[in-house]
């Protein structure tokens, strides 16, 4: 605030009113001179204005800098947020892919376990079949051995009877107009008769017999005769082993069939 300086040299006598004389000073001359300090006030106001303008300029610059920095920070936050969002999307995608992989692996594990169970079941079944087949093979081998032994025994019997059968067969061939042929299969013989048809002495009648087992079997024959009659004659052969009676009986069946 401006100060006002009063320059006065008053005394108690000066305060009194002047004497009324022609040479006495006027009232205006008697007033004190006052210095209001306007120049100093103006100078101080000028300095204040400069400092205020500097303060405003600095404030404006600071506000601009802070605003620019805020914009930079905001842009960085937006970029960071965008990057975080992108990272979250990538993580979500990885989680989804991982979840799908886990689901696929679980499905594959289930399928593998099912396949393993099926293979185990098949293995057990094959093992059971193998054991069963082994038992069947063992039984078959036993049966084959027993049959081979029986065949060998029968062969020995036939060998022992061969010296008796050959003359007997020659007799029946001549007596019954008979010839013996091979049937093309082991243990099978074909007996062919002639002179069985009075209308055609050259006409043939025949049958095939299987001698591979203990019980002989007549498999095929021509001409057609009653099967029961053939089985009856065959049964007598299996019981008596009389080949001559059997050949004679078959010839009689053919002769009757051709009448």
């Amino acid at each position: 605030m401006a100060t006002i300086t009063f320059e006065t040299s008053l005394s108690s006598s000066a305060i009194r009113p002047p004497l009324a004389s022609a040479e006495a000073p006027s009232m205006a001359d008697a007033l004190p001179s006052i210095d209001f300090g306007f120049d100093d006030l103006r100078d101080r106001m000028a300095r204040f204005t400069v400092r205020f303008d500097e303060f405003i300029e600095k404030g404006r610059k600071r506000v601009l800098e802070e605003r620019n920095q805020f914009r930079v920070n905001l842009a960085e936050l937006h970029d960071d947020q965008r990057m975080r969002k992108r990272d979250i999307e990538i993580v979500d995608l990885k989680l989804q892919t991982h979840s799908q992989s886990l689901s696929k692996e679980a499905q594959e594990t289930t399928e593998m376990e099912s396949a393993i169970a099926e293979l185990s079941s098949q293995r057990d079944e094959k093992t059971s079949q193998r054991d069963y087949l082994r038992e069947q093979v063992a039984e078959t081998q036993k049966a084959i051995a027993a049959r081979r032994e029986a065949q060998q025994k029968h062969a020995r019997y036939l060998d022992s009877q061969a010296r008796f059968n050959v003359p007997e067969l020659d007799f029946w061939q001549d007596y019954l107009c008979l010839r013996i042929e091979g049937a093309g299969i082991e243990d099978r013989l074909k007996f062919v008769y002639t002179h069985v048809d009075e209308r055609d002495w050259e006409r043939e009648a025949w049958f095939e017999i299987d001698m591979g087992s203990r019980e002989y079997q007549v498999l095929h024959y021509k001409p057609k005769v009653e099967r029961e009659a053939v089985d009856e004659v065959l049964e007598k052969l299996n019981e008596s082993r009389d080949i001559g009676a059997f050949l004679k009986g078959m010839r009689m069946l053919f002769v009757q069939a051709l009448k």
Side-chain angles (χ1 to χ4, degrees):
M1 180 182 292
T3 56
I4 301 174
T5 304
F6 292 93
E7 295 180 358
T8 179
S9 306
L10 298 178
S11 62
S12 57
S13 61
I15 299 175
R16 291 192 302 263
L19 297 176
S21 64
E23 295 179 359
S26 66
M27 289 295 290
D29 293 333
L31 290 175
S33 62
I34 300 173
D35 186 5
F36 289 95
F38 287 108
D39 293 335
D40 181 61
L41 178 61
R42 187 181 297 109
D43 182 63
R44 292 179 64 185
M45 288 296 294
R47 289 196 301 271
F48 173 79
T49 302
V50 171
R51 289 196 302 270
F52 183 77
D53 292 340
E54 290 178 353
F55 173 78
I56 294 299
E57 183 65 21
K58 291 180 180 179
R60 187 177 66 83
K61 289 182 179 180
R62 185 171 63 253
V63 169
L64 290 176
E65 291 176 356
E66 290 177 354
R67 183 177 64 180
N68 293 333
Q69 186 63 37
F70 175 77
R71 289 178 178 177
V72 171
N73 294 337
L74 185 61
E76 291 178 354
L77 287 175
H78 287 166
D79 292 339
D80 186 68
Q81 184 179 9
R82 185 166 54 252
M83 292 177 63
R84 292 292 183 271
K85 184 177 181 181
R86 179 60 179 171
D87 292 339
I88 292 173
E89 291 177 354
I90 294 174
V91 172
D92 290 338
L93 182 60
K94 289 182 178 180
L95 288 175
Q96 184 178 1
T97 304
H98 183 64
S99 178
Q100 292 176 355
S101 299
L102 291 178
S103 178
K104 185 177 180 180
E105 290 178 359
Q107 182 178 0
E108 291 177 352
T109 302
T110 302
E111 292 176 355
M112 291 180 63
E113 290 177 351
S114 177
I116 291 172
E118 184 177 358
L119 291 175
S120 299
S121 177
Q122 292 179 359
R123 180 198 61 190
D124 296 339
E125 183 179 357
K126 297 298 182 182
T127 302
S128 178
Q129 291 179 355
R130 181 195 62 190
D131 296 339
Y132 174 76
L133 290 175
R134 284 180 177 177
E135 294 177 358
Q136 293 295 316
V137 168
E139 293 178 358
T140 303
Q141 289 177 345
K142 290 180 181 179
I144 291 174
R147 184 173 181 179
R148 184 181 294 114
E149 184 179 357
Q151 288 178 347
Q152 291 175 354
K153 184 177 180 180
H154 184 62
R156 290 192 296 270
Y157 171 76
L158 293 177
D159 292 339
S160 65
Q161 296 295 321
R163 60 191 182 91
F164 302 107
N165 292 338
V166 172
E168 184 177 1
L169 288 175
D170 291 340
F171 169 75
W172 289 115
Q173 287 180 7
D174 295 337
Y175 180 73
L176 299 175
C177 299
L178 171 69
R179 73 176 185 272
I180 304 175
E181 300 176 352
I185 301 177
E186 186 179 0
D187 296 329
R188 288 190 187 182
L189 294 175
K190 184 177 182 180
F191 293 85
V192 183
Y193 295 96
T194 58
H195 296 77
V196 291
D197 188 353
E198 295 179 354
R199 298 181 297 275
D200 183 3
W201 294 115
E202 298 298 326
R203 184 175 182 180
E204 295 180 349
W206 58 270
F207 69 89
E208 289 183 7
I209 185 171
D210 184 1
M211 306 178 70
S213 61
R214 180 67 180 81
E215 298 290 330
Y216 297 159
Q217 296 181 8
V218 175
L219 303 177
H220 308 288
Y221 47 85
K222 188 178 181 180
K224 184 178 180 180
V225 296
E226 294 294 334
R227 183 68 199 186
E228 294 179 356
V230 175
D231 291 340
E232 183 177 353
V233 175
L234 182 62
E235 184 178 358
K236 292 179 181 179
L237 171 64
N238 289 326
E239 291 176 354
S240 63
R241 296 297 178 182
D242 188 351
I243 189 67
F246 170 71
L247 295 175
K248 186 177 180 180
M250 290 298 296
R251 179 180 176 82
M252 291 178 61
L253 293 177
F254 288 139
V255 171
Q256 292 176 359
L258 295 174
K259 284 184 178 181

